[in-house]
Amino acid sequence: MFLVLAAVWGSAFMAIKAGLAYFPPVLFAALRYDVAGVVMLAYAAYVVDDPIPRGRDEWAVVAVGATLVIAAYHAFLFIGESDPAVTSAVAAVIVSLSPVLTTVFARAFLPSERLTVVGVIGLVVGLVGAVVLAAPDPSNLAGGGTVPKLLVLLAAASFALGSVLMRASDDDDLPIETMEAWSMLLGAALMHLLSLGLGESIADVAWTAEAVLALGYLSIAASGLGFLIYFDLLDRLGPIEINLVSYVAPVFAAVSGWLFLREAITVNTVAGFLIICAGFALVKRTAFRDALREYGVLG
């Protein structure tokens, strides 16, 4: 499930880049979650007894998801990436800070989720791998576009904080499908308000086949399927470990770029992937050891 999530979210960067040529950024993100939210609400109505959150605590979880994980993260990310100064490589490096930021927030809100020293080393190794894979130009990192780069950093921070706060709520009665659907719908509404405030208009959209494909893939695969897996793994693994997906997703972004956009897979891609695997193994070393013992590899 973790690898499927990394695959759909990694390939989503390609769809975002394609779609930004036809949509205003915040409106693009809002339309994405209009579609995804309706689809997920229909799915929730089918699979759970009550697809509507009940009580203050359940709506509080939805509000955190809608505000931080959906609206803030995607609005900041889409606006930041729409600036020419923020290349895919730069954005990938910034977003890969999410596990580090999650660790920082977890120290304040989830003391039980703190990593050991070896785990922290694993986070750092994974970040190094993401930097190697993205191969950013140092002169470009230090160049123009400071505000858009800060917006992408705010996106990563919003996602990390939202993950920690949702985990801290400890509301086991709210079904994942219900929480996801309403977070998407309310998050989309917030982004529509922001889009109007920024002067974006549906008249600015160029409805081409590529635009529809990009919107459809982001809505159904990256949003619907992706967040269904994400919230399930968030409950099972905790925010620090699940947000390691931002280290692995660039690998799938590189592969999808090679398959669909003819982008070359360089030595940096392979080296970065191997370093990421090493960092991930450090963080998950106990799980790997238990699995090896279960299958008789270790005594």
Side-chain angles (χ1 to χ4, degrees):
M1 291 176 68
F2 184 93
L3 290 175
V4 171
L5 179 61
V8 294
W9 279 6
S11 57
F13 280 98
M14 176 186 61
I16 290 173
K17 282 296 183 183
L20 283 173
Y22 307 100
F23 295 91
V26 179
L27 180 60
F28 185 20
L31 291 173
R32 167 183 177 177
Y33 283 100
D34 286 338
V35 177
V38 170
V39 171
M40 287 308 304
L41 185 59
Y43 178 70
Y46 177 74
V47 300
V48 302
D49 294 331
D50 188 1
I52 301 176
R54 304 294 179 181
R56 181 182 302 176
D57 291 341
E58 292 189 358
W59 279 109
V61 175
V62 169
V64 171
T67 304
L68 295 174
V69 176
I70 301 297
Y73 172 72
H74 290 90
F76 286 139
L77 178 63
F78 278 50
I79 294 174
E81 281 200 271
S82 66
D83 191 284
V86 181
T87 65
S88 298
V90 170
V93 171
I94 298 173
V95 171
S96 292
L97 290 171
S98 182
V100 178
L101 295 171
T102 303
T103 305
V104 173
F105 291 131
R107 292 189 68 84
F109 297 102
L110 293 171
S112 63
E113 297 285 348
R114 295 178 182 178
L115 290 176
T116 63
V117 173
V118 177
V120 173
I121 293 174
L123 283 177
V124 175
V125 171
L127 179 59
V128 170
V131 174
V132 171
L133 188 147
D137 181 357
S139 62
N140 190 38
L141 279 172
T146 301
V147 172
K149 292 168 188 173
L150 289 176
L151 290 178
V152 177
L153 178 60
L154 283 175
S158 299
F159 197 95
L161 179 59
S163 300
V164 170
L165 292 179
M166 293 178 77
R167 172 75 169 189
S169 68
D170 198 27
D171 192 335
D172 297 329
D173 296 329
L174 179 62
I176 293 173
E177 297 84 357
T178 300
M179 182 268 293
E180 179 179 351
W182 286 99
S183 293
M184 288 179 174
L185 290 171
L186 293 180
L190 291 173
M191 288 188 286
H192 275 296
L193 291 175
L194 177 59
S195 177
L196 287 173
L198 295 174
E200 297 179 350
S201 171
I202 195 71
D204 298 328
V205 178
W207 291 104
T208 65
E210 187 174 339
V212 173
L213 285 173
L215 180 61
Y217 182 77
L218 290 172
S219 301
I220 305 302
S223 299
L225 175 63
F227 273 101
L228 192 64
I229 295 174
Y230 174 80
F231 287 127
D232 180 59
L233 292 181
L234 175 64
D235 183 59
R236 293 163 60 180
L237 299 178
I240 295 176
E241 291 190 13
I242 184 54
N243 280 348
L244 288 171
V245 73
S246 65
Y247 283 172
V248 185
V251 176
F252 290 94
V255 172
S256 63
W258 172 68
L259 287 174
F260 297 103
L261 301 178
R262 306 295 184 185
E263 296 176 344
I265 294 182
T266 65
V267 174
N268 289 78
T269 303
V270 177
F273 172 73
L274 294 176
I275 296 172
I276 288 170
C277 287
F280 187 77
L282 286 173
V283 175
K284 296 293 293 178
R285 65 196 182 283
T286 302
F288 285 133
R289 187 186 308 117
D290 292 342
L292 291 174
R293 286 174 177 168
E294 180 181 353
Y295 290 101
V297 178
L298 294 178

PDB file of all heavy atoms in Angstrom, residues 114-138:
ATOM      1  N   ARG A 114       7.978   9.785  18.718  1.00  0.00           N
ATOM      2  CA  ARG A 114       9.352  10.241  18.517  1.00  0.00           C
ATOM      3  C   ARG A 114      10.235   9.104  18.023  1.00  0.00           C
ATOM      4  O   ARG A 114      10.120   7.963  18.469  1.00  0.00           O
ATOM      5  CB  ARG A 114       9.913  10.808  19.824  1.00  0.00           C
ATOM      6  CG  ARG A 114       9.193  12.080  20.287  1.00  0.00           C
ATOM      7  CD  ARG A 114       9.745  12.570  21.610  1.00  0.00           C
ATOM      8  NE  ARG A 114       9.037  13.755  22.073  1.00  0.00           N
ATOM      9  CZ  ARG A 114       9.283  14.378  23.213  1.00  0.00           C
ATOM     10  NH1 ARG A 114      10.234  13.902  24.024  1.00  0.00           N
ATOM     11  NH2 ARG A 114       8.604  15.441  23.563  1.00  0.00           N
ATOM     12  N   LEU A 115      11.152   9.456  17.138  1.00  0.00           N
ATOM     13  CA  LEU A 115      12.080   8.471  16.593  1.00  0.00           C
ATOM     14  C   LEU A 115      13.306   8.327  17.486  1.00  0.00           C
ATOM     15  O   LEU A 115      13.655   9.245  18.235  1.00  0.00           O
ATOM     16  CB  LEU A 115      12.529   8.891  15.191  1.00  0.00           C
ATOM     17  CG  LEU A 115      11.486   8.820  14.075  1.00  0.00           C
ATOM     18  CD1 LEU A 115      12.081   9.357  12.788  1.00  0.00           C
ATOM     19  CD2 LEU A 115      10.995   7.401  13.873  1.00  0.00           C
ATOM     20  N   THR A 116      13.968   7.186  17.368  1.00  0.00           N
ATOM     21  CA  THR A 116      15.248   6.989  18.028  1.00  0.00           C
ATOM     22  C   THR A 116      16.325   7.745  17.257  1.00  0.00           C
ATOM     23  O   THR A 116      16.075   8.304  16.181  1.00  0.00           O
ATOM     24  CB  THR A 116      15.604   5.498  18.070  1.00  0.00           C
ATOM     25  OG1 THR A 116      15.747   5.018  16.717  1.00  0.00           O
ATOM     26  CG2 THR A 116      14.508   4.706  18.762  1.00  0.00           C
ATOM     27  N   VAL A 117      17.540   7.742  17.797  1.00  0.00           N
ATOM     28  CA  VAL A 117      18.652   8.400  17.117  1.00  0.00           C
ATOM     29  C   VAL A 117      18.879   7.785  15.739  1.00  0.00           C
ATOM     30  O   VAL A 117      19.092   8.488  14.744  1.00  0.00           O
ATOM     31  CB  VAL A 117      19.935   8.302  17.971  1.00  0.00           C
ATOM     32  CG1 VAL A 117      21.131   8.842  17.192  1.00  0.00           C
ATOM     33  CG2 VAL A 117      19.763   9.068  19.279  1.00  0.00           C
ATOM     34  N   VAL A 118      18.810   6.437  15.658  1.00  0.00           N
ATOM     35  CA  VAL A 118      18.996   5.765  14.364  1.00  0.00           C
ATOM     36  C   VAL A 118      17.877   6.151  13.398  1.00  0.00           C
ATOM     37  O   VAL A 118      18.107   6.340  12.200  1.00  0.00           O
ATOM     38  CB  VAL A 118      19.046   4.236  14.553  1.00  0.00           C
ATOM     39  CG1 VAL A 118      19.161   3.530  13.197  1.00  0.00           C
ATOM     40  CG2 VAL A 118      20.222   3.848  15.443  1.00  0.00           C
ATOM     41  N   GLY A 119      16.669   6.284  13.915  1.00  0.00           N
ATOM     42  CA  GLY A 119      15.560   6.705  13.070  1.00  0.00           C
ATOM     43  C   GLY A 119      15.753   8.100  12.505  1.00  0.00           C
ATOM     44  O   GLY A 119      15.452   8.367  11.334  1.00  0.00           O
ATOM     45  N   VAL A 120      16.240   9.012  13.334  1.00  0.00           N
ATOM     46  CA  VAL A 120      16.525  10.374  12.860  1.00  0.00           C
ATOM     47  C   VAL A 120      17.605  10.343  11.781  1.00  0.00           C
ATOM     48  O   VAL A 120      17.519  11.051  10.770  1.00  0.00           O
ATOM     49  CB  VAL A 120      16.959  11.268  14.040  1.00  0.00           C
ATOM     50  CG1 VAL A 120      17.432  12.625  13.529  1.00  0.00           C
ATOM     51  CG2 VAL A 120      15.804  11.438  15.023  1.00  0.00           C
ATOM     52  N   ILE A 121      18.642   9.505  11.988  1.00  0.00           N
ATOM     53  CA  ILE A 121      19.683   9.361  10.956  1.00  0.00           C
ATOM     54  C   ILE A 121      19.066   8.852   9.665  1.00  0.00           C
ATOM     55  O   ILE A 121      19.408   9.307   8.565  1.00  0.00           O
ATOM     56  CB  ILE A 121      20.786   8.398  11.449  1.00  0.00           C
ATOM     57  CG1 ILE A 121      21.534   9.016  12.629  1.00  0.00           C
ATOM     58  CG2 ILE A 121      21.758   8.068  10.312  1.00  0.00           C
ATOM     59  CD1 ILE A 121      22.533   8.084  13.278  1.00  0.00           C
ATOM     60  N   GLY A 122      18.109   7.919   9.770  1.00  0.00           N
ATOM     61  CA  GLY A 122      17.423   7.415   8.586  1.00  0.00           C
ATOM     62  C   GLY A 122      16.669   8.514   7.850  1.00  0.00           C
ATOM     63  O   GLY A 122      16.670   8.564   6.614  1.00  0.00           O
ATOM     64  N   LEU A 123      16.005   9.410   8.599  1.00  0.00           N
ATOM     65  CA  LEU A 123      15.326  10.549   7.978  1.00  0.00           C
ATOM     66  C   LEU A 123      16.299  11.415   7.200  1.00  0.00           C
ATOM     67  O   LEU A 123      16.029  11.832   6.066  1.00  0.00           O
ATOM     68  CB  LEU A 123      14.637  11.400   9.052  1.00  0.00           C
ATOM     69  CG  LEU A 123      13.322  10.897   9.642  1.00  0.00           C
ATOM     70  CD1 LEU A 123      12.853  11.849  10.721  1.00  0.00           C
ATOM     71  CD2 LEU A 123      12.267  10.769   8.559  1.00  0.00           C
ATOM     72  N   VAL A 124      17.444  11.705   7.809  1.00  0.00           N
ATOM     73  CA  VAL A 124      18.443  12.555   7.150  1.00  0.00           C
ATOM     74  C   VAL A 124      18.987  11.875   5.903  1.00  0.00           C
ATOM     75  O   VAL A 124      19.140  12.507   4.845  1.00  0.00           O
ATOM     76  CB  VAL A 124      19.586  12.897   8.129  1.00  0.00           C
ATOM     77  CG1 VAL A 124      20.681  13.675   7.407  1.00  0.00           C
ATOM     78  CG2 VAL A 124      19.057  13.702   9.310  1.00  0.00           C
ATOM     79  N   VAL A 125      19.265  10.568   5.997  1.00  0.00           N
ATOM     80  CA  VAL A 125      19.762   9.829   4.828  1.00  0.00           C
ATOM     81  C   VAL A 125      18.732   9.859   3.704  1.00  0.00           C
ATOM     82  O   VAL A 125      19.070  10.056   2.532  1.00  0.00           O
ATOM     83  CB  VAL A 125      20.101   8.369   5.220  1.00  0.00           C
ATOM     84  CG1 VAL A 125      20.400   7.527   3.974  1.00  0.00           C
ATOM     85  CG2 VAL A 125      21.288   8.337   6.160  1.00  0.00           C
ATOM     86  N   GLY A 126      17.457   9.670   4.048  1.00  0.00           N
ATOM     87  CA  GLY A 126      16.414   9.731   3.033  1.00  0.00           C
ATOM     88  C   GLY A 126      16.326  11.088   2.369  1.00  0.00           C
ATOM     89  O   GLY A 126      16.125  11.201   1.151  1.00  0.00           O
ATOM     90  N   LEU A 127      16.483  12.151   3.150  1.00  0.00           N
ATOM     91  CA  LEU A 127      16.465  13.500   2.587  1.00  0.00           C
ATOM     92  C   LEU A 127      17.631  13.705   1.633  1.00  0.00           C
ATOM     93  O   LEU A 127      17.484  14.298   0.559  1.00  0.00           O
ATOM     94  CB  LEU A 127      16.509  14.541   3.716  1.00  0.00           C
ATOM     95  CG  LEU A 127      16.523  16.009   3.280  1.00  0.00           C
ATOM     96  CD1 LEU A 127      15.287  16.338   2.467  1.00  0.00           C
ATOM     97  CD2 LEU A 127      16.632  16.929   4.486  1.00  0.00           C
ATOM     98  N   VAL A 128      18.807  13.202   2.005  1.00  0.00           N
ATOM     99  CA  VAL A 128      19.968  13.286   1.120  1.00  0.00           C
ATOM    100  C   VAL A 128      19.666  12.563  -0.197  1.00  0.00           C
ATOM    101  O   VAL A 128      19.982  13.059  -1.289  1.00  0.00           O
ATOM    102  CB  VAL A 128      21.216  12.676   1.791  1.00  0.00           C
ATOM    103  CG1 VAL A 128      22.357  12.548   0.781  1.00  0.00           C
ATOM    104  CG2 VAL A 128      21.654  13.535   2.965  1.00  0.00           C
ATOM    105  N   GLY A 129      19.029  11.400  -0.117  1.00  0.00           N
ATOM    106  CA  GLY A 129      18.673  10.668  -1.322  1.00  0.00           C
ATOM    107  C   GLY A 129      17.719  11.441  -2.203  1.00  0.00           C
ATOM    108  O   GLY A 129      17.850  11.444  -3.439  1.00  0.00           O
ATOM    109  N   ALA A 130      16.743  12.128  -1.599  1.00  0.00           N
ATOM    110  CA  ALA A 130      15.803  12.929  -2.380  1.00  0.00           C
ATOM    111  C   ALA A 130      16.512  14.081  -3.081  1.00  0.00           C
ATOM    112  O   ALA A 130      16.208  14.417  -4.229  1.00  0.00           O
ATOM    113  CB  ALA A 130      14.695  13.471  -1.468  1.00  0.00           C
ATOM    114  N   VAL A 131      17.484  14.697  -2.393  1.00  0.00           N
ATOM    115  CA  VAL A 131      18.249  15.786  -3.004  1.00  0.00           C
ATOM    116  C   VAL A 131      19.078  15.260  -4.177  1.00  0.00           C
ATOM    117  O   VAL A 131      19.124  15.876  -5.251  1.00  0.00           O
ATOM    118  CB  VAL A 131      19.161  16.457  -1.954  1.00  0.00           C
ATOM    119  CG1 VAL A 131      20.070  17.483  -2.625  1.00  0.00           C
ATOM    120  CG2 VAL A 131      18.325  17.131  -0.873  1.00  0.00           C
ATOM    121  N   VAL A 132      19.727  14.112  -3.992  1.00  0.00           N
ATOM    122  CA  VAL A 132      20.535  13.527  -5.065  1.00  0.00           C
ATOM    123  C   VAL A 132      19.655  13.181  -6.264  1.00  0.00           C
ATOM    124  O   VAL A 132      20.008  13.451  -7.415  1.00  0.00           O
ATOM    125  CB  VAL A 132      21.270  12.262  -4.560  1.00  0.00           C
ATOM    126  CG1 VAL A 132      21.932  11.514  -5.724  1.00  0.00           C
ATOM    127  CG2 VAL A 132      22.318  12.643  -3.525  1.00  0.00           C
ATOM    128  N   LEU A 133      18.482  12.596  -5.995  1.00  0.00           N
ATOM    129  CA  LEU A 133      17.588  12.212  -7.081  1.00  0.00           C
ATOM    130  C   LEU A 133      17.077  13.433  -7.830  1.00  0.00           C
ATOM    131  O   LEU A 133      17.018  13.445  -9.063  1.00  0.00           O
ATOM    132  CB  LEU A 133      16.421  11.405  -6.521  1.00  0.00           C
ATOM    133  CG  LEU A 133      15.479  10.760  -7.527  1.00  0.00           C
ATOM    134  CD1 LEU A 133      14.942   9.452  -6.970  1.00  0.00           C
ATOM    135  CD2 LEU A 133      14.307  11.671  -7.866  1.00  0.00           C
ATOM    136  N   ALA A 134      16.693  14.490  -7.099  1.00  0.00           N
ATOM    137  CA  ALA A 134      16.179  15.687  -7.754  1.00  0.00           C
ATOM    138  C   ALA A 134      17.261  16.470  -8.476  1.00  0.00           C
ATOM    139  O   ALA A 134      16.996  17.164  -9.447  1.00  0.00           O
ATOM    140  CB  ALA A 134      15.501  16.594  -6.710  1.00  0.00           C
ATOM    141  N   ALA A 135      18.508  16.354  -8.020  1.00  0.00           N
ATOM    142  CA  ALA A 135      19.654  17.021  -8.632  1.00  0.00           C
ATOM    143  C   ALA A 135      19.391  18.501  -8.912  1.00  0.00           C
ATOM    144  O   ALA A 135      19.471  18.964 -10.044  1.00  0.00           O
ATOM    145  CB  ALA A 135      20.048  16.309  -9.929  1.00  0.00           C
ATOM    146  N   PRO A 136      19.044  19.272  -7.880  1.00  0.00           N
ATOM    147  CA  PRO A 136      18.758  20.693  -8.098  1.00  0.00           C
ATOM    148  C   PRO A 136      20.017  21.485  -8.432  1.00  0.00           C
ATOM    149  O   PRO A 136      21.124  21.110  -8.054  1.00  0.00           O
ATOM    150  CB  PRO A 136      18.185  21.150  -6.750  1.00  0.00           C
ATOM    151  CG  PRO A 136      18.844  20.230  -5.759  1.00  0.00           C
ATOM    152  CD  PRO A 136      18.974  18.903  -6.466  1.00  0.00           C
ATOM    153  N   ASP A 137      19.818  22.559  -9.151  1.00  0.00           N
ATOM    154  CA  ASP A 137      20.914  23.453  -9.486  1.00  0.00           C
ATOM    155  C   ASP A 137      21.123  24.411  -8.311  1.00  0.00           C
ATOM    156  O   ASP A 137      20.230  25.207  -7.993  1.00  0.00           O
ATOM    157  CB  ASP A 137      20.549  24.250 -10.753  1.00  0.00           C
ATOM    158  CG  ASP A 137      21.659  25.196 -11.192  1.00  0.00           C
ATOM    159  OD1 ASP A 137      22.690  25.281 -10.494  1.00  0.00           O
ATOM    160  OD2 ASP A 137      21.495  25.849 -12.235  1.00  0.00           O
ATOM    161  N   PRO A 138      22.260  24.354  -7.620  1.00  0.00           N
ATOM    162  CA  PRO A 138      22.463  25.216  -6.448  1.00  0.00           C
ATOM    163  C   PRO A 138      22.277  26.691  -6.756  1.00  0.00           C
ATOM    164  O   PRO A 138      21.739  27.437  -5.938  1.00  0.00           O
ATOM    165  CB  PRO A 138      23.912  24.904  -6.037  1.00  0.00           C
ATOM    166  CG  PRO A 138      24.165  23.539  -6.573  1.00  0.00           C
ATOM    167  CD  PRO A 138      23.397  23.459  -7.862  1.00  0.00           C
TER     168      PRO A 138
END
